[in-house]
Amino acid sequence: MRWLLSILVRILLVLCLCLTPLGIPVVARAAELPAVKHLDTPIDVNNTILRNYRQLPGFYPTLARILVKNAPYKSLEDMLQISGLTEQQKALIKANAENFVFGEYQEGANQLENRINQGYYG
């Protein structure tokens, strides 16, 4: 059994060495950012619902949920201070900065549960 594993490791090593000169990546590269979509009407990050982030590639649902749960924000820099954001998520937020406005937070106008789940089924 050990000899079989040893042979498989050698084959993989040879394949890696053969594929590298051809320009075929052996190790997956870090994912590139999705293309930035310029919105006609910017998203008010302090009062929007989760579904509005569907307009921006790469935001929905994970990053959108993080942004909705941590609102309100005073500025873009305030958004970037959210604990646990990855560098790629921060880069995505920065790249889409022109698509955000920071309106005055309307406390009580939209409960958090309603901002995350508007009850659209079907």
Side-chain angles (χ1 to χ4, degrees), residues 35-113:
V36 174
K37 181 178 179 185
H38 302 286
L39 303 179
D40 292 334
T41 305
I43 295 173
D44 179 355
V45 296
N46 290 331
N47 298 295
T48 194
I49 62 172
L50 183 83
R51 291 176 60 91
N52 287 341
Y53 284 102
R54 293 177 81 180
Q55 303 173 71
L56 299 174
F59 278 79
Y60 187 85
T62 306
L63 184 53
R65 180 178 290 270
I66 293 168
L67 295 177
V68 168
K69 281 188 171 185
N70 287 283
Y73 309 101
K74 295 176 184 165
S75 65
L76 183 68
E77 291 75 28
D78 196 17
M79 283 176 75
L80 296 171
Q81 297 303 315
I82 297 172
S83 176
L85 284 180
T86 66
E87 290 304 315
Q88 184 169 3
Q89 288 171 328
K90 289 179 183 180
L92 191 56
I93 292 169
K94 288 178 192 175
N96 284 275
E98 71 179 37
N99 290 316
F100 303 130
V101 292
F102 300 88
E104 186 174 331
Y105 181 64
Q106 300 170 6
E107 190 169 350
N110 287 315
Q111 294 178 344
L112 179 60
E113 302 87 37

